[in-house]
Amino acid sequence: MSTTVVRLAAAGDAPGSGVFSVAAATTSAPALALDGICLSFGGIRALRDISFDVAPGEIRAIIGPNGAGKSSLVNVISGLYRADAGTVQIAGQAFARMPASRLAKIGVARTFQNLALFPGLTAAQNIASGLAFRRRSGLLAQVLGLSAARSESAREDEEVREIAAFLGIGGVLDRLVSTLPYGVQKQVDLARALVAEPNLLMLDEPMAGLTVTEKAEMAAHIRAVRDRTGLAIILIEHDIGVVMELSDRIAVLDHGVKIADGTPVEIRRDPEVIRAYLGAEAA
Amino acid sequence: MMDSPELLFAVEVAVGGLLSGVMYALVAIGFVLIYKTSGVLNFAQGAMVLFAALTFVSLVERQVPFWAAIAVTLVIMAGLGFAIERTVLRPLSNRSPMTLFMATLGLSYVIEGAAQLIWGTQVHRLDLGVSNAPFEVGGIFISTFDLVAAAIAAAMVSVLTLFFRYTRTGLSFRAVADDTFAAIAVGLRLGRIQGTVWTAAGVVALVAGLLWGARLGVQFSLSLVVLKALPVLVLGGFDSIVGAIVAGLVIGATEKLAEVYLGPFVGGGIESWFAYAVALVVLLVRPSGLFGKKLVERY
Amino acid sequence: MSLSADVPVAPPRVNLRALGLLALLAVAVLVVPVIASPYVIEAILLPFLALSLAGLGLNLLTGYGGQVSLGSAAFMAVGAFAAYNFQLRLGVSLPLAIVLAAATAAAIGVVFGLPSLRLRGFYLAVSTLAAQFFVQWALTKFSWFSNDSASGVVAAPRLTVASLDLDAPQGRYLFALTLVVGITFLVHRIVGSRAGVNLIAVRDDETAAKVIGVPVLRTKLVAFAISSAIIGVAGVIWAYAYLRTVEPAGFNLDRSFQVLFIIIIGGLATIRGAFLGAALIVVFPLLLARTSSFAFEGLVDAGVLKLVERVVLGLVIILFLIAEPNGLSAILGRATARLRAVLRRG
């Protein structure tokens, strides 16, 4: 599989190339491939033999009822949980356990279901934290205000402003994030993930708690990000309407088992899905 | 089996250590009770031990009969525990656990100071009528007092266990300990349960205060038993009564053995920090202690 | 674990605030040494400066970094004894001894900070007690540290920098003030830097910080190192300038709690909080003693007074935690905001 895709500048590329600089590259591997992932807590098997892949530039949804194992899966990919078996492959590199602290360097970013922002920091500082992984100037250089540190900060501020303007939160950058409305905080969370220019972005319930208007806005952002940067997106979401509209392919989990996988059209027709998920939800 | 005198001596040291470990566990259990229901590490538990012992001994010195003094102190301790819950913990109920901890730190200052303001700062002798004469079992000597203390501790743990397993309040306590939100949702009255638990912690403090007071004399330094209980708690896990007991035994025994066999090489006095070192080493392997609930992060 | 999520951030009024600080500094350098009596310097200003600095160091770790430490006094002791021994054994000058003492405290801080890489919350707080007890034990047990003095108490060397003799109260005050001002400025720079932002990120949500690529381990260890170094220098001021003796006894658990109380009362995660808290902690016992001797004419003995002090201090802590978790700093912030509003209107 060798396709020419548009992707984000990788972490190692020249810094300051901007969030939306488009670099053509050939990739032979999927952005993410899971192979036989198993996970259990105590006696409960949260994930059983899950395999699937995400192609570069694809929006890949994972749906399923509460407790199906969606968030567990994202946590395995993030390295927060250690899978009992199976491998995670990122851009061709295989991991038995994802190193959580190097996630950003590998080119993976995520948002959090329950908004894991830093309430004691401003929106700008929150977003800039997404760039900490590639920062080179040390504490001493920063404290002494050496020019390398100053220009690095300036560059970061520029990138933060750029991404904030794109998401329409440029006006609140200097506000403490805890004083912002929930919908705006969700955008800050997204900005913090995007500013790192990841190749794979995991969105854990980005629509949860949003109003209808905010949902539409968020969906537009997600699509625009993909279209402009060609990054791969894993989307965990309860709002089926949003999922059907946004995703290229959908995997359905139920009790830790993948029961279906396919395009929105296929999933809508799948009897197993209707019974286990949509049916349960309707009942 | 016990042929060499060195081995015999080592066993004797270990047994002595195990029995003092029971004393550590006794204090630690008071912490666990409160931690399980309110998630607070109650630093004031040591001050409560001091307060209990000082109140009791002062009553006895004023010619109040033994059992009457116990009863009165019991009521006072229960009242104190209840009052703390109402005036300090409740206004802080939705704040971070560390904030609550700092509040109990302040509380320990208040109780220690108040106890001594009320009853004076002199050292009191506390005689529970238990002989301290050692007796011999299979060639090793065991302190009668330590054994009685261990028995009392065992009895207390049994009573607590029965209470939590078979009474309505006890069962709701367990529900709260397992899941506060769920407990609120099904309508358990959190306030009353926490009031009860603080009362129970006051009672545990009295038992610990009597036993420790009889051993060390009743004085300010009694409140420092908290510093003996903390490594026990860390080792056992803050939320496990069983953990507190096992860790108490482990720390009691290793501490005494270390004091005897390691102490001479480093100038002695290592009991001030040795327990912490033991706890730390174990924690590096198991960050939630031996029996503590594993912290599963939800993201 | 988040200690204080709701730190108020005043809108930047750099020029006005900087002017105020400069004025304050000018008074501290030019006016105070002239008008302050030796008593005021020795009983109030020197302990105030030493404890402010210790509070500043702890606030970096606990207020900004969220890592609660109950072992501050141990690092004060390390600083004091290290400076003493570097001067005694290597014959280095006082400024160099202070730098080396800070480095020693930092190194030991990192060692006792290692558990923070694995432990959180109360488990970590309790493990910092290990530092408190171990350091105190080592300094008491091994008489080498106090040059084999029989009492374990040694006189601090004369305070001289280059050819400047600072041994008089005014000199000691200026010595302490210089260190405190310099380090405070450094802390101000650290807190405003990206590293400072990382520190708060780790405090507010460690897991999220790790996943998005904030170097959590490094951030924590650096926080322990810098915090311990600053507290170590506070120890040097305490021993050299305030007590003028180097001894382990004063660096006990109560001192550690005192430093913690300073930042709770003053305001977590603020620079001025350490100063406000230290001022209250130093002045309050003196006020209490004055008041009682005035009101009861010596009927209250010193022992009772100490107990009353303990009770009131405990109550103050609880009261602040309940009513003003952001401490004196927040109260001051509101007061200045009100003053500004009045001035603007008038």
Side-chain angles (χ1 to χ4, degrees):
Chain A
M1 184 174 98
S2 175
T3 45
T4 305
V5 293
V6 191
R7 69 169 180 90
L8 279 168
D13 294 355
S17 48
V19 181
F20 301 113
S21 59
V22 166
T26 51
T27 13
S28 52
L32 170 80
L34 300 181
D35 185 23
I37 296 289
C38 298
L39 176 74
S40 52
F41 298 113
I44 303 153
R45 297 174 63 188
L47 295 172
R48 303 185 207 191
D49 197 22
I50 302 289
S51 303
F52 76 86
D53 56 38
V54 186
E58 183 182 35
I59 297 182
R60 188 78 153 96
I62 305 174
I63 62 171
N66 279 326
K70 306 179 301 280
S71 284
S72 293
L73 196 59
V74 169
N75 285 338
V76 167
I77 302 170
S78 314
L80 293 178
Y81 296 164
R82 180 205 289 268
D84 303 327
T87 55
V88 179
Q89 228 181 77
I90 305 279
Q93 200 184 350
F95 300 90
R97 171 170 197 181
M98 291 292 295
S101 53
R102 287 200 295 122
L103 204 64
K105 286 194 175 118
I106 296 169
V108 181
R110 66 170 291 183
T111 66
F112 295 84
Q113 188 181 336
N114 42 7
L115 272 184
L117 290 171
F118 310 121
L121 295 175
T122 64
Q125 288 171 324
N126 265 280
I127 300 170
S129 298
L131 292 171
F133 76 99
R134 59 151 219 226
R135 209 166 278 152
R136 295 194 166 200
S137 61
L139 175 66
L140 206 60
Q142 293 171 20
V143 169
L144 298 178
L146 300 187
S147 70
R150 281 212 312 270
S151 62
E152 188 178 49
S153 285
R155 215 157 47 225
E156 288 184 0
D157 290 343
E158 183 53 41
E159 286 172 57
V160 167
R161 274 196 296 274
E162 201 180 324
I163 196 83
F166 170 67
L167 295 177
I169 49 173
V172 297
L173 279 179
D174 290 329
R175 295 261 306 270
L176 263 190
V177 78
S178 51
T179 64
L180 298 175
Y182 188 78
V184 181
Q185 292 193 28
K186 278 280 202 195
Q187 299 287 358
V188 174
D189 196 12
L190 179 61
R192 187 176 66 176
L194 281 177
V195 78
E197 306 182 5
N199 298 319
L200 174 67
L201 173 65
M202 298 189 282
L203 303 171
D204 195 354
E205 301 201 12
M207 312 287 171
L210 298 188
T211 64
V212 178
T213 335
E214 287 170 336
K215 276 184 185 178
E217 203 182 344
M218 179 66 89
H221 285 152
I222 292 171
R223 206 195 315 262
V225 164
R226 191 271 307 267
D227 292 348
R228 291 171 71 167
T229 67
L231 85 174
I233 295 177
I234 290 183
L235 173 66
I236 291 185
E237 188 45 58
H238 272 296
D239 188 320
I240 293 300
V242 169
V243 169
M244 292 294 169
E245 193 188 311
L246 271 182
S247 346
D248 300 313
R249 279 190 298 161
I250 301 172
V252 186
L253 296 189
D254 188 27
H255 292 101
V257 180
K258 187 171 89 171
I259 56 170
D261 197 345
T263 63
V265 179
E266 288 163 1
I267 292 299
R268 216 189 298 263
R269 286 200 207 113
D270 192 302
E272 182 93 5
V273 175
I274 292 166
R275 191 177 51 77
Y277 181 52
L278 302 174
E281 194 100 314
Chain B
M1 188 179 79
M2 293 187 181
D3 35 10
S4 94
E6 286 92 44
L7 184 64
L8 213 59
F9 176 64
V11 171
E12 193 172 300
V13 169
V15 170
L18 287 175
L19 289 170
S20 21
V22 173
M23 300 281 282
Y24 298 160
L26 207 54
V27 183
I29 287 170
F31 282 89
V32 173
L33 283 179
I34 290 171
Y35 187 86
K36 269 175 94 90
T37 37
S38 28
V40 185
L41 177 59
N42 174 28
F43 197 86
Q45 188 70 25
M48 286 166 71
V49 168
L50 169 71
F51 193 88
L54 211 49
T55 305
F56 171 79
V57 87
S58 303
L59 288 172
V60 169
E61 280 170 5
R62 284 165 180 72
Q63 312 307 324
V64 178
F66 186 89
W67 288 107
I70 294 242
V72 171
T73 313
L74 211 61
V75 171
I76 291 176
M77 289 313 293
L80 179 68
F82 198 76
I84 291 171
E85 201 277 325
R86 278 294 148 90
T87 56
V88 181
L89 275 298
R90 202 162 285 190
L92 290 169
S93 60
N94 49 1
R95 304 277 285 283
S96 85
M98 214 34 98
T99 304
L100 287 158
F101 166 72
M102 291 182 191
T104 66
L105 208 56
L107 192 62
S108 75
Y109 272 50
V110 175
I111 298 176
E112 279 163 19
Q116 295 173 90
L117 278 177
I118 297 170
W119 301 117
T121 47
Q122 66 275 36
V123 182
H124 304 258
R125 224 176 66 80
L126 172 56
D127 188 2
L128 296 177
V130 181
S131 129
N132 207 10
F135 66 92
E136 195 193 319
V137 182
I140 62 170
F141 287 93
I142 298 175
S143 148
T144 314
F145 178 83
D146 283 352
L147 214 59
V148 171
I152 293 175
M156 194 183 75
V157 171
S158 315
V159 170
L160 284 175
T161 311
L162 291 176
F163 173 75
F164 288 125
R165 199 151 290 172
Y166 296 111
T167 66
R168 223 180 119 83
T169 318
L171 286 171
S172 25
F173 165 88
R174 286 177 46 178
V176 173
D178 286 340
D179 189 342
T180 312
F181 292 113
I184 294 171
V186 300
L188 291 173
R189 290 178 52 193
L190 205 56
R192 205 178 58 194
I193 293 161
Q194 298 207 332
T196 312
V197 169
W198 276 85
T199 309
V203 174
V204 174
L206 171 62
V207 177
L210 292 182
L211 294 174
W212 274 98
R215 209 185 212 198
L216 301 178
V218 177
Q219 55 183 316
F220 171 72
S221 64
L222 204 56
S223 70
L224 298 180
V225 297
V226 65
L227 300 175
K228 286 289 175 195
L230 285 176
V232 169
L233 277 170
V234 165
L235 181 60
F238 286 113
D239 48 9
S240 165
I241 289 184
V242 179
I245 295 165
V246 174
L249 296 177
V250 169
I251 283 184
T254 49
E255 187 179 79
K256 283 286 182 303
L257 287 169
E259 188 66 40
V260 169
Y261 292 103
L262 198 68
F265 297 104
V266 290
I270 60 174
E271 76 272 2
S272 70
W273 56 268
F274 186 78
Y276 288 90
V278 172
L280 263 183
V281 168
V282 175
L283 278 187
L284 292 182
V285 185
R286 289 183 62 94
S288 306
L290 291 174
F291 294 85
K293 250 189 247 166
K294 263 236 190 80
L295 205 80
V296 177
E297 287 157 301
R298 297 187 58 90
Y299 275 92
Chain C
M1 139 189 11
S2 164
L3 277 169
S4 86
D6 40 356
V7 186
V9 175
R13 295 178 158 272
V14 183
N15 43 4
L16 207 73
R17 181 175 280 185
L19 275 179
L21 280 175
L22 271 179
L24 193 65
L25 194 59
V27 170
V29 176
L30 302 172
V31 182
V32 170
V34 180
I35 62 161
S37 68
Y39 169 80
V40 169
I41 290 179
E42 296 194 310
I44 299 177
L45 293 176
L46 285 172
F48 162 73
L49 286 171
L51 289 174
S52 297
L53 194 57
L56 195 63
L58 183 65
N59 220 345
L60 202 58
L61 182 70
T62 301
Y64 290 96
Q67 315 290 312
V68 173
S69 164
L70 303 175
S72 308
F75 298 104
M76 290 177 78
V78 168
F81 274 87
Y84 171 74
N85 278 292
F86 279 120
Q87 279 200 290
L88 175 75
R89 289 166 209 286
L90 303 181
V92 301
S93 65
L94 180 61
L96 183 57
I98 292 173
V99 172
L100 291 173
T104 310
I108 293 181
V110 167
V111 170
F112 282 102
L114 285 175
S116 74
L117 303 186
R118 240 165 105 72
L119 306 183
R120 292 192 190 183
F122 295 129
Y123 289 96
L124 176 65
V126 171
S127 79
T128 59
L129 282 174
Q132 176 65 49
F133 296 127
F134 182 81
V135 167
Q136 232 192 331
W137 170 82
L139 292 177
T140 319
K141 260 305 172 254
F142 301 107
S143 54
W144 181 87
F145 289 116
S146 25
N147 201 19
D148 297 314
S149 125
S151 58
V153 181
V154 284
R158 258 189 107 73
L159 268 190
T160 50
V161 175
S163 57
L164 225 59
D165 188 342
L166 300 170
D167 223 44
Q170 270 83 3
R172 281 182 279 137
Y173 165 75
L174 287 174
F175 162 79
L177 185 69
T178 309
L179 284 172
V180 170
V181 170
I183 292 174
T184 303
F185 180 70
L186 274 181
V187 170
H188 166 73
R189 295 285 303 176
I190 293 171
V191 166
S193 75
R194 301 278 162 158
V197 169
N198 284 353
L199 197 56
I200 295 175
V202 170
R203 173 195 76 191
D204 282 354
D205 197 324
E206 188 176 328
T207 308
K210 181 162 90 177
V211 167
I212 66 166
V214 173
V216 172
L217 303 189
R218 194 174 73 207
T219 298
K220 280 186 181 178
L221 288 186
V222 167
F224 267 97
I226 298 177
S227 159
S228 305
I230 295 172
I231 297 174
V233 176
V236 177
I237 296 177
W238 184 266
Y240 276 52
Y242 172 49
L243 292 184
R244 310 179 82 185
T245 58
V246 184
E247 53 182 314
F251 300 120
N252 54 14
L253 188 61
D254 262 1
R255 180 82 54 227
S256 288
F257 286 162
Q258 190 181 40
V259 178
L260 182 63
F261 291 164
I262 283 173
I263 62 171
I264 297 175
I265 294 174
L268 290 165
T270 58
I271 287 179
R272 64 185 181 191
F275 292 88
L276 296 170
L280 190 121
I281 287 277
V282 169
V283 171
F284 152 73
L286 298 175
L287 277 181
L288 194 69
R290 279 287 165 89
T291 315
S292 103
S293 73
F294 177 75
F296 303 105
E297 287 159 7
L299 289 174
V300 183
D301 72 84
V304 170
L305 208 59
K306 269 265 166 277
L307 291 174
V308 172
E309 191 189 311
R310 221 175 156 77
V311 172
V312 176
L313 181 61
L315 287 174
V316 168
I317 297 294
I318 296 172
L319 223 75
F320 263 100
L321 287 171
I322 292 176
E324 187 44 88
N326 293 319
L328 289 169
S329 169
I331 295 175
L332 181 70
R334 279 199 300 270
T336 52
R338 204 165 300 147
L339 190 67
R340 237 184 248 133
V342 168
L343 287 177
R344 211 173 296 144
R345 227 178 292 136

